[in-house]
Amino acid sequence: MPAPKPAADSRVEVTHLVMPFDANTLGTAFGGTVMQWTDLTAAMAAMRHARVPVVTASIDQLSFLAPIRIGQMAILHGQVNAVFGSSMEVGVEVQTEDPLTGERKKCCDAYLTFVALGPDGQPTRAPPLRTDTDDERRREREAGERRAARLASRTPRAP
Ligand SMILES: CC(C)(COP(=O)(O)OP(=O)(O)OC[C@H]1O[C@@H](n2cnc3c(N)ncnc32)[C@H](O)[C@@H]1OP(=O)(O)O)[C@@H](O)C(=O)NCCC(=O)NCCS
């Protein structure tokens, strides 16, 4: 079993400037674009932890609390919350920042599950996670509770 790796080492911060091609007719970022950025941010955090290829197994509910307008920045923070076996829960928070004033608002947060893949393309164990702060321990505990609910609602694989 490899040594546990600090949760903080998986942290990823990604910043996008919302351009017209990212936006709908209201001048705000497409939800699907923000979802793509969220998925990529989480994938990078999962790979930073596992250092092997990963795939998205599931994305929990995503609620958009505030729009991100053209010309504003979208800032995504991702971090591995918990490692179970081959799967990892990654938390991503998306904020919007006005580049002229610096004002930030929370746009959405999401929990995504990634599975580490071995050279054969099959799930393989990810390194254990080391949580060093009260916040990281809380995230890990809450991720365990979410995992139970997630697996209970998992759609069986087609034969
Ligand atoms: C995710 C995937 C690798 C799981 O493979 P599988 O053969 O069903 O593997 P298992 O049943 O052994 O599960 C492997 C791990 O995935 C977890 N898992 C599988 N489906 C899950 C789901 N819907 N939500 C959360 N975790 C899930 C299992 O709990 C297990 O975790 P553990 O090792 O930590 O206990 C497989 O379903 C797959 O490749 N899906 C497509 C992924 C993809 O292409 N994503 C991009 C979007 S299309």
mmCIF file of all heavy atoms in Angstrom, residues 89-136:
data_model
loop_
_atom_site.group_PDB
_atom_site.id
_atom_site.type_symbol
_atom_site.label_atom_id
_atom_site.label_comp_id
_atom_site.label_asym_id
_atom_site.label_seq_id
_atom_site.Cartn_x
_atom_site.Cartn_y
_atom_site.Cartn_z
ATOM 1 N N GLU A 89 -13.765 10.965 -4.513
ATOM 2 C CA GLU A 89 -14.686 12.088 -4.646
ATOM 3 C C GLU A 89 -13.868 13.374 -4.711
ATOM 4 O O GLU A 89 -12.989 13.604 -3.876
ATOM 5 C CB GLU A 89 -15.660 12.178 -3.469
ATOM 6 C CG GLU A 89 -16.680 13.294 -3.755
ATOM 7 C CD GLU A 89 -17.491 13.739 -2.560
ATOM 8 O OE1 GLU A 89 -18.529 13.130 -2.295
ATOM 9 O OE2 GLU A 89 -17.072 14.734 -1.912
ATOM 10 N N VAL A 90 -14.180 14.189 -5.718
ATOM 11 C CA VAL A 90 -13.526 15.493 -5.872
ATOM 12 C C VAL A 90 -14.598 16.567 -5.708
ATOM 13 O O VAL A 90 -15.683 16.472 -6.283
ATOM 14 C CB VAL A 90 -12.873 15.630 -7.271
ATOM 15 C CG1 VAL A 90 -12.162 16.975 -7.391
ATOM 16 C CG2 VAL A 90 -11.901 14.486 -7.526
ATOM 17 N N GLY A 91 -14.290 17.564 -4.902
ATOM 18 C CA GLY A 91 -15.186 18.712 -4.742
ATOM 19 C C GLY A 91 -14.681 19.859 -5.598
ATOM 20 O O GLY A 91 -13.474 20.116 -5.639
ATOM 21 N N VAL A 92 -15.597 20.519 -6.294
ATOM 22 C CA VAL A 92 -15.233 21.701 -7.096
ATOM 23 C C VAL A 92 -16.160 22.840 -6.722
ATOM 24 O O VAL A 92 -17.378 22.656 -6.649
ATOM 25 C CB VAL A 92 -15.357 21.425 -8.617
ATOM 26 C CG1 VAL A 92 -15.061 22.695 -9.425
ATOM 27 C CG2 VAL A 92 -14.417 20.307 -9.044
ATOM 28 N N GLU A 93 -15.567 24.001 -6.446
ATOM 29 C CA GLU A 93 -16.377 25.202 -6.236
ATOM 30 C C GLU A 93 -16.066 26.176 -7.363
ATOM 31 O O GLU A 93 -14.897 26.374 -7.712
ATOM 32 C CB GLU A 93 -16.079 25.854 -4.883
ATOM 33 C CG GLU A 93 -16.968 27.081 -4.680
ATOM 34 C CD GLU A 93 -16.837 27.713 -3.296
ATOM 35 O OE1 GLU A 93 -17.285 27.099 -2.323
ATOM 36 O OE2 GLU A 93 -16.292 28.818 -3.231
ATOM 37 N N VAL A 94 -17.136 26.739 -7.926
ATOM 38 C CA VAL A 94 -16.972 27.712 -9.012
ATOM 39 C C VAL A 94 -17.394 29.073 -8.485
ATOM 40 O O VAL A 94 -18.502 29.220 -7.946
ATOM 41 C CB VAL A 94 -17.846 27.343 -10.234
ATOM 42 C CG1 VAL A 94 -17.556 28.292 -11.396
ATOM 43 C CG2 VAL A 94 -17.626 25.894 -10.654
ATOM 44 N N GLN A 95 -16.518 30.047 -8.643
ATOM 45 C CA GLN A 95 -16.836 31.421 -8.258
ATOM 46 C C GLN A 95 -16.758 32.302 -9.488
ATOM 47 O O GLN A 95 -16.022 32.001 -10.437
ATOM 48 C CB GLN A 95 -15.830 31.947 -7.237
ATOM 49 C CG GLN A 95 -15.899 31.247 -5.889
ATOM 50 C CD GLN A 95 -14.822 31.785 -4.968
ATOM 51 O OE1 GLN A 95 -13.679 31.963 -5.379
ATOM 52 N NE2 GLN A 95 -15.179 32.046 -3.737
ATOM 53 N N THR A 96 -17.513 33.387 -9.449
ATOM 54 C CA THR A 96 -17.390 34.383 -10.501
ATOM 55 C C THR A 96 -16.675 35.595 -9.906
ATOM 56 O O THR A 96 -16.908 35.933 -8.751
ATOM 57 C CB THR A 96 -18.782 34.744 -11.076
ATOM 58 O OG1 THR A 96 -18.678 35.965 -11.762
ATOM 59 C CG2 THR A 96 -19.843 34.872 -10.030
ATOM 60 N N GLU A 97 -15.768 36.177 -10.681
ATOM 61 C CA GLU A 97 -15.048 37.362 -10.199
ATOM 62 C C GLU A 97 -15.184 38.476 -11.227
ATOM 63 O O GLU A 97 -14.945 38.261 -12.420
ATOM 64 C CB GLU A 97 -13.565 37.044 -9.971
ATOM 65 C CG GLU A 97 -12.790 38.267 -9.489
ATOM 66 C CD GLU A 97 -11.317 37.982 -9.234
ATOM 67 O OE1 GLU A 97 -10.982 36.918 -8.702
ATOM 68 O OE2 GLU A 97 -10.498 38.854 -9.607
ATOM 69 N N ASP A 98 -15.568 39.649 -10.755
ATOM 70 C CA ASP A 98 -15.569 40.834 -11.612
ATOM 71 C C ASP A 98 -14.119 41.317 -11.695
ATOM 72 O O ASP A 98 -13.530 41.682 -10.668
ATOM 73 C CB ASP A 98 -16.467 41.918 -10.980
ATOM 74 C CG ASP A 98 -16.576 43.149 -11.859
ATOM 75 O OD1 ASP A 98 -15.556 43.526 -12.483
ATOM 76 O OD2 ASP A 98 -17.655 43.738 -11.921
ATOM 77 N N PRO A 99 -13.520 41.286 -12.899
ATOM 78 C CA PRO A 99 -12.090 41.632 -12.982
ATOM 79 C C PRO A 99 -11.807 43.088 -12.643
ATOM 80 O O PRO A 99 -10.682 43.436 -12.317
ATOM 81 C CB PRO A 99 -11.735 41.319 -14.448
ATOM 82 C CG PRO A 99 -13.009 41.329 -15.181
ATOM 83 C CD PRO A 99 -14.092 40.953 -14.208
ATOM 84 N N LEU A 100 -12.838 43.955 -12.707
ATOM 85 C CA LEU A 100 -12.609 45.389 -12.448
ATOM 86 C C LEU A 100 -12.699 45.727 -10.965
ATOM 87 O O LEU A 100 -12.004 46.614 -10.471
ATOM 88 C CB LEU A 100 -13.601 46.240 -13.245
ATOM 89 C CG LEU A 100 -13.595 45.964 -14.757
ATOM 90 C CD1 LEU A 100 -14.547 46.905 -15.476
ATOM 91 C CD2 LEU A 100 -12.182 46.085 -15.328
ATOM 92 N N THR A 101 -13.565 45.000 -10.244
ATOM 93 C CA THR A 101 -13.746 45.317 -8.819
ATOM 94 C C THR A 101 -13.155 44.243 -7.904
ATOM 95 O O THR A 101 -12.940 44.486 -6.719
ATOM 96 C CB THR A 101 -15.246 45.432 -8.477
ATOM 97 O OG1 THR A 101 -15.851 44.150 -8.692
ATOM 98 C CG2 THR A 101 -15.933 46.475 -9.338
ATOM 99 N N GLY A 102 -12.978 43.042 -8.453
ATOM 100 C CA GLY A 102 -12.496 41.931 -7.614
ATOM 101 C C GLY A 102 -13.609 41.261 -6.838
ATOM 102 O O GLY A 102 -13.359 40.292 -6.120
ATOM 103 N N GLU A 103 -14.839 41.744 -6.997
ATOM 104 C CA GLU A 103 -15.941 41.138 -6.231
ATOM 105 C C GLU A 103 -16.159 39.694 -6.695
ATOM 106 O O GLU A 103 -16.225 39.425 -7.898
ATOM 107 C CB GLU A 103 -17.235 41.936 -6.430
ATOM 108 C CG GLU A 103 -18.353 41.446 -5.533
ATOM 109 C CD GLU A 103 -19.739 41.959 -5.953
ATOM 110 O OE1 GLU A 103 -19.844 42.721 -6.933
ATOM 111 O OE2 GLU A 103 -20.698 41.564 -5.295
ATOM 112 N N ARG A 104 -16.273 38.804 -5.726
ATOM 113 C CA ARG A 104 -16.496 37.386 -6.048
ATOM 114 C C ARG A 104 -17.842 36.930 -5.535
ATOM 115 O O ARG A 104 -18.289 37.355 -4.462
ATOM 116 C CB ARG A 104 -15.418 36.506 -5.401
ATOM 117 C CG ARG A 104 -14.093 36.577 -6.109
ATOM 118 C CD ARG A 104 -13.176 35.464 -5.647
ATOM 119 N NE ARG A 104 -11.890 35.574 -6.310
ATOM 120 C CZ ARG A 104 -10.969 34.619 -6.320
ATOM 121 N NH1 ARG A 104 -11.187 33.483 -5.690
ATOM 122 N NH2 ARG A 104 -9.836 34.797 -6.949
ATOM 123 N N LYS A 105 -18.479 36.018 -6.296
ATOM 124 C CA LYS A 105 -19.725 35.388 -5.859
ATOM 125 C C LYS A 105 -19.611 33.904 -6.150
ATOM 126 O O LYS A 105 -18.989 33.513 -7.152
ATOM 127 C CB LYS A 105 -20.917 35.923 -6.667
ATOM 128 C CG LYS A 105 -21.409 37.262 -6.260
ATOM 129 C CD LYS A 105 -22.670 37.597 -7.043
ATOM 130 C CE LYS A 105 -22.938 39.083 -6.992
ATOM 131 N NZ LYS A 105 -23.704 39.569 -8.107
ATOM 132 N N LYS A 106 -20.270 33.112 -5.317
ATOM 133 C CA LYS A 106 -20.277 31.676 -5.581
ATOM 134 C C LYS A 106 -21.257 31.386 -6.708
ATOM 135 O O LYS A 106 -22.396 31.862 -6.674
ATOM 136 C CB LYS A 106 -20.699 30.934 -4.308
ATOM 137 C CG LYS A 106 -20.667 29.441 -4.453
ATOM 138 C CD LYS A 106 -20.768 28.810 -3.078
ATOM 139 C CE LYS A 106 -21.232 27.394 -3.172
ATOM 140 N NZ LYS A 106 -21.314 26.770 -1.852
ATOM 141 N N CYS A 107 -20.814 30.645 -7.716
ATOM 142 C CA CYS A 107 -21.683 30.284 -8.842
ATOM 143 C C CYS A 107 -22.289 28.902 -8.612
ATOM 144 O O CYS A 107 -23.485 28.708 -8.762
ATOM 145 C CB CYS A 107 -20.866 30.309 -10.126
ATOM 146 S SG CYS A 107 -21.708 29.608 -11.538
ATOM 147 N N CYS A 108 -21.454 27.935 -8.256
ATOM 148 C CA CYS A 108 -21.982 26.603 -7.971
ATOM 149 C C CYS A 108 -20.897 25.759 -7.329
ATOM 150 O O CYS A 108 -19.721 26.129 -7.323
ATOM 151 C CB CYS A 108 -22.488 25.913 -9.240
ATOM 152 S SG CYS A 108 -21.247 25.542 -10.452
ATOM 153 N N ASP A 109 -21.319 24.657 -6.731
ATOM 154 C CA ASP A 109 -20.334 23.650 -6.337
ATOM 155 C C ASP A 109 -20.862 22.284 -6.720
ATOM 156 O O ASP A 109 -22.053 22.106 -6.975
ATOM 157 C CB ASP A 109 -19.912 23.754 -4.872
ATOM 158 C CG ASP A 109 -21.061 23.756 -3.912
ATOM 159 O OD1 ASP A 109 -22.138 23.290 -4.289
ATOM 160 O OD2 ASP A 109 -20.878 24.221 -2.781
ATOM 161 N N ALA A 110 -19.935 21.354 -6.826
ATOM 162 C CA ALA A 110 -20.301 20.029 -7.319
ATOM 163 C C ALA A 110 -19.379 18.987 -6.718
ATOM 164 O O ALA A 110 -18.234 19.292 -6.342
ATOM 165 C CB ALA A 110 -20.184 20.000 -8.839
ATOM 166 N N TYR A 111 -19.903 17.770 -6.622
ATOM 167 C CA TYR A 111 -19.097 16.631 -6.189
ATOM 168 C C TYR A 111 -19.066 15.636 -7.344
ATOM 169 O O TYR A 111 -20.113 15.254 -7.879
ATOM 170 C CB TYR A 111 -19.702 15.983 -4.945
ATOM 171 C CG TYR A 111 -19.808 16.952 -3.795
ATOM 172 C CD1 TYR A 111 -21.036 17.448 -3.395
ATOM 173 C CD2 TYR A 111 -18.664 17.403 -3.146
ATOM 174 C CE1 TYR A 111 -21.134 18.363 -2.363
ATOM 175 C CE2 TYR A 111 -18.748 18.320 -2.120
ATOM 176 C CZ TYR A 111 -19.987 18.797 -1.733
ATOM 177 O OH TYR A 111 -20.079 19.711 -0.719
ATOM 178 N N LEU A 112 -17.864 15.253 -7.704
ATOM 179 C CA LEU A 112 -17.690 14.334 -8.832
ATOM 180 C C LEU A 112 -16.913 13.117 -8.359
ATOM 181 O O LEU A 112 -16.008 13.240 -7.525
ATOM 182 C CB LEU A 112 -16.912 15.009 -9.971
ATOM 183 C CG LEU A 112 -17.524 16.296 -10.539
ATOM 184 C CD1 LEU A 112 -16.997 17.522 -9.788
ATOM 185 C CD2 LEU A 112 -17.195 16.424 -12.020
ATOM 186 N N THR A 113 -17.266 11.958 -8.912
ATOM 187 C CA THR A 113 -16.522 10.744 -8.572
ATOM 188 C C THR A 113 -15.710 10.314 -9.784
ATOM 189 O O THR A 113 -16.252 10.180 -10.889
ATOM 190 C CB THR A 113 -17.475 9.609 -8.160
ATOM 191 O OG1 THR A 113 -18.245 10.050 -7.046
ATOM 192 C CG2 THR A 113 -16.684 8.365 -7.758
ATOM 193 N N PHE A 114 -14.422 10.126 -9.549
ATOM 194 C CA PHE A 114 -13.507 9.655 -10.597
ATOM 195 C C PHE A 114 -12.975 8.290 -10.211
ATOM 196 O O PHE A 114 -12.778 7.998 -9.022
ATOM 197 C CB PHE A 114 -12.336 10.636 -10.769
ATOM 198 C CG PHE A 114 -12.745 11.847 -11.549
ATOM 199 C CD1 PHE A 114 -13.433 12.879 -10.934
ATOM 200 C CD2 PHE A 114 -12.501 11.925 -12.915
ATOM 201 C CE1 PHE A 114 -13.860 13.981 -11.659
ATOM 202 C CE2 PHE A 114 -12.931 13.026 -13.648
ATOM 203 C CZ PHE A 114 -13.601 14.048 -13.015
ATOM 204 N N VAL A 115 -12.721 7.476 -11.235
ATOM 205 C CA VAL A 115 -12.163 6.143 -11.001
ATOM 206 C C VAL A 115 -10.778 6.092 -11.645
ATOM 207 O O VAL A 115 -10.609 6.476 -12.815
ATOM 208 C CB VAL A 115 -13.097 5.050 -11.573
ATOM 209 C CG1 VAL A 115 -12.465 3.674 -11.461
ATOM 210 C CG2 VAL A 115 -14.439 5.085 -10.837
ATOM 211 N N ALA A 116 -9.800 5.626 -10.862
ATOM 212 C CA ALA A 116 -8.433 5.478 -11.347
ATOM 213 C C ALA A 116 -8.348 4.217 -12.198
ATOM 214 O O ALA A 116 -8.915 3.173 -11.835
ATOM 215 C CB ALA A 116 -7.469 5.379 -10.160
ATOM 216 N N LEU A 117 -7.660 4.329 -13.334
ATOM 217 C CA LEU A 117 -7.537 3.180 -14.239
ATOM 218 C C LEU A 117 -6.095 2.705 -14.315
ATOM 219 O O LEU A 117 -5.159 3.506 -14.393
ATOM 220 C CB LEU A 117 -8.008 3.561 -15.644
ATOM 221 C CG LEU A 117 -9.466 4.018 -15.778
ATOM 222 C CD1 LEU A 117 -9.775 4.355 -17.228
ATOM 223 C CD2 LEU A 117 -10.448 2.969 -15.238
ATOM 224 N N GLY A 118 -5.945 1.376 -14.317
ATOM 225 C CA GLY A 118 -4.619 0.779 -14.468
ATOM 226 C C GLY A 118 -4.250 0.663 -15.938
ATOM 227 O O GLY A 118 -5.024 1.043 -16.832
ATOM 228 N N PRO A 119 -3.067 0.101 -16.224
ATOM 229 C CA PRO A 119 -2.602 -0.014 -17.613
ATOM 230 C C PRO A 119 -3.536 -0.855 -18.476
ATOM 231 O O PRO A 119 -3.573 -0.696 -19.702
ATOM 232 C CB PRO A 119 -1.231 -0.704 -17.474
ATOM 233 C CG PRO A 119 -0.854 -0.593 -16.036
ATOM 234 C CD PRO A 119 -2.099 -0.389 -15.234
ATOM 235 N N ASP A 120 -4.334 -1.735 -17.836
ATOM 236 C CA ASP A 120 -5.292 -2.557 -18.589
ATOM 237 C C ASP A 120 -6.627 -1.838 -18.810
ATOM 238 O O ASP A 120 -7.576 -2.418 -19.342
ATOM 239 C CB ASP A 120 -5.534 -3.887 -17.858
ATOM 240 C CG ASP A 120 -6.054 -3.663 -16.423
ATOM 241 O OD1 ASP A 120 -6.178 -2.485 -15.990
ATOM 242 O OD2 ASP A 120 -6.338 -4.663 -15.735
ATOM 243 N N GLY A 121 -6.711 -0.582 -18.366
ATOM 244 C CA GLY A 121 -7.948 0.179 -18.542
ATOM 245 C C GLY A 121 -9.015 -0.173 -17.521
ATOM 246 O O GLY A 121 -10.136 0.331 -17.597
ATOM 247 N N GLN A 122 -8.676 -0.998 -16.552
ATOM 248 C CA GLN A 122 -9.635 -1.402 -15.517
ATOM 249 C C GLN A 122 -9.380 -0.601 -14.239
ATOM 250 O O GLN A 122 -8.268 -0.108 -14.014
ATOM 251 C CB GLN A 122 -9.473 -2.907 -15.203
ATOM 252 C CG GLN A 122 -9.826 -3.816 -16.376
ATOM 253 C CD GLN A 122 -11.251 -3.596 -16.851
ATOM 254 O OE1 GLN A 122 -12.195 -3.582 -16.069
ATOM 255 N NE2 GLN A 122 -11.411 -3.373 -18.163
ATOM 256 N N PRO A 123 -10.428 -0.483 -13.386
ATOM 257 C CA PRO A 123 -10.232 0.258 -12.129
ATOM 258 C C PRO A 123 -9.064 -0.301 -11.322
ATOM 259 O O PRO A 123 -8.874 -1.527 -11.236
ATOM 260 C CB PRO A 123 -11.571 0.046 -11.400
ATOM 261 C CG PRO A 123 -12.569 -0.167 -12.489
ATOM 262 C CD PRO A 123 -11.828 -0.925 -13.563
ATOM 263 N N THR A 124 -8.277 0.617 -10.772
ATOM 264 C CA THR A 124 -7.142 0.229 -9.934
ATOM 265 C C THR A 124 -7.143 1.106 -8.688
ATOM 266 O O THR A 124 -7.661 2.227 -8.721
ATOM 267 C CB THR A 124 -5.811 0.389 -10.717
ATOM 268 O OG1 THR A 124 -4.747 -0.184 -9.964
ATOM 269 C CG2 THR A 124 -5.475 1.858 -10.997
ATOM 270 N N ARG A 125 -6.584 0.614 -7.596
ATOM 271 C CA ARG A 125 -6.630 1.380 -6.342
ATOM 272 C C ARG A 125 -5.899 2.717 -6.497
ATOM 273 O O ARG A 125 -4.820 2.770 -7.089
ATOM 274 C CB ARG A 125 -5.970 0.585 -5.208
ATOM 275 C CG ARG A 125 -6.783 -0.602 -4.748
ATOM 276 C CD ARG A 125 -6.224 -1.170 -3.455
ATOM 277 N NE ARG A 125 -6.639 -0.374 -2.299
ATOM 278 C CZ ARG A 125 -7.829 -0.483 -1.711
ATOM 279 N NH1 ARG A 125 -8.718 -1.356 -2.141
ATOM 280 N NH2 ARG A 125 -8.124 0.264 -0.668
ATOM 281 N N ALA A 126 -6.498 3.751 -5.948
ATOM 282 C CA ALA A 126 -5.835 5.057 -5.886
ATOM 283 C C ALA A 126 -5.074 5.128 -4.560
ATOM 284 O O ALA A 126 -5.464 4.458 -3.594
ATOM 285 C CB ALA A 126 -6.879 6.173 -5.966
ATOM 286 N N PRO A 127 -4.005 5.925 -4.495
ATOM 287 C CA PRO A 127 -3.279 6.045 -3.223
ATOM 288 C C PRO A 127 -4.209 6.575 -2.129
ATOM 289 O O PRO A 127 -5.100 7.379 -2.416
ATOM 290 C CB PRO A 127 -2.177 7.068 -3.518
ATOM 291 C CG PRO A 127 -2.101 7.171 -4.996
ATOM 292 C CD PRO A 127 -3.441 6.781 -5.541
ATOM 293 N N PRO A 128 -4.014 6.121 -0.885
ATOM 294 C CA PRO A 128 -4.843 6.663 0.197
ATOM 295 C C PRO A 128 -4.626 8.164 0.365
ATOM 296 O O PRO A 128 -3.587 8.699 -0.046
ATOM 297 C CB PRO A 128 -4.370 5.907 1.446
ATOM 298 C CG PRO A 128 -3.324 4.957 1.027
ATOM 299 C CD PRO A 128 -3.012 5.167 -0.424
ATOM 300 N N LEU A 129 -5.624 8.809 0.989
ATOM 301 C CA LEU A 129 -5.591 10.263 1.168
ATOM 302 C C LEU A 129 -5.207 10.580 2.610
ATOM 303 O O LEU A 129 -5.686 9.935 3.545
ATOM 304 C CB LEU A 129 -6.985 10.832 0.862
ATOM 305 C CG LEU A 129 -7.094 12.343 0.731
ATOM 306 C CD1 LEU A 129 -6.428 12.827 -0.564
ATOM 307 C CD2 LEU A 129 -8.572 12.773 0.736
ATOM 308 N N ARG A 130 -4.368 11.606 2.759
ATOM 309 C CA ARG A 130 -4.042 12.086 4.112
ATOM 310 C C ARG A 130 -4.752 13.418 4.331
ATOM 311 O O ARG A 130 -4.556 14.343 3.539
ATOM 312 C CB ARG A 130 -2.534 12.263 4.258
ATOM 313 C CG ARG A 130 -2.082 12.300 5.717
ATOM 314 C CD ARG A 130 -0.612 12.543 5.834
ATOM 315 N NE ARG A 130 -0.317 13.976 5.724
ATOM 316 C CZ ARG A 130 0.851 14.475 5.338
ATOM 317 N NH1 ARG A 130 1.837 13.676 4.989
ATOM 318 N NH2 ARG A 130 1.034 15.785 5.281
ATOM 319 N N THR A 131 -5.582 13.476 5.345
ATOM 320 C CA THR A 131 -6.274 14.734 5.655
ATOM 321 C C THR A 131 -5.598 15.356 6.866
ATOM 322 O O THR A 131 -5.408 14.692 7.887
ATOM 323 C CB THR A 131 -7.772 14.482 5.920
ATOM 324 O OG1 THR A 131 -7.909 13.424 6.862
ATOM 325 C CG2 THR A 131 -8.502 14.096 4.657
ATOM 326 N N ASP A 132 -5.219 16.623 6.741
ATOM 327 C CA ASP A 132 -4.393 17.269 7.772
ATOM 328 C C ASP A 132 -5.112 18.354 8.549
ATOM 329 O O ASP A 132 -4.603 18.803 9.570
ATOM 330 C CB ASP A 132 -3.143 17.883 7.117
ATOM 331 C CG ASP A 132 -2.214 16.810 6.560
ATOM 332 O OD1 ASP A 132 -2.061 15.766 7.234
ATOM 333 O OD2 ASP A 132 -1.673 17.017 5.459
ATOM 334 N N THR A 133 -6.257 18.811 8.045
ATOM 335 C CA THR A 133 -6.949 19.918 8.722
ATOM 336 C C THR A 133 -8.366 19.469 9.099
ATOM 337 O O THR A 133 -8.889 18.500 8.537
ATOM 338 C CB THR A 133 -7.051 21.153 7.810
ATOM 339 O OG1 THR A 133 -7.920 20.822 6.708
ATOM 340 C CG2 THR A 133 -5.697 21.586 7.270
ATOM 341 N N ASP A 134 -8.972 20.233 10.011
ATOM 342 C CA ASP A 134 -10.350 19.912 10.409
ATOM 343 C C ASP A 134 -11.272 19.974 9.202
ATOM 344 O O ASP A 134 -12.184 19.158 9.051
ATOM 345 C CB ASP A 134 -10.846 20.901 11.474
ATOM 346 C CG ASP A 134 -10.209 20.610 12.829
ATOM 347 O OD1 ASP A 134 -9.602 19.520 12.983
ATOM 348 O OD2 ASP A 134 -10.312 21.477 13.726
ATOM 349 N N ASP A 135 -11.025 20.962 8.326
ATOM 350 C CA ASP A 135 -11.865 21.120 7.133
ATOM 351 C C ASP A 135 -11.722 19.895 6.225
ATOM 352 O O ASP A 135 -12.717 19.366 5.712
ATOM 353 C CB ASP A 135 -11.448 22.401 6.406
ATOM 354 C CG ASP A 135 -12.395 22.734 5.272
ATOM 355 O OD1 ASP A 135 -13.621 22.665 5.491
ATOM 356 O OD2 ASP A 135 -11.924 23.030 4.159
ATOM 357 N N GLU A 136 -10.492 19.434 6.041
ATOM 358 C CA GLU A 136 -10.285 18.258 5.178
ATOM 359 C C GLU A 136 -10.909 17.006 5.794
ATOM 360 O O GLU A 136 -11.482 16.179 5.082
ATOM 361 C CB GLU A 136 -8.788 18.044 4.936
ATOM 362 C CG GLU A 136 -8.187 19.095 4.019
ATOM 363 C CD GLU A 136 -6.670 19.040 3.941
ATOM 364 O OE1 GLU A 136 -6.051 18.210 4.654
ATOM 365 O OE2 GLU A 136 -6.104 19.833 3.185
#
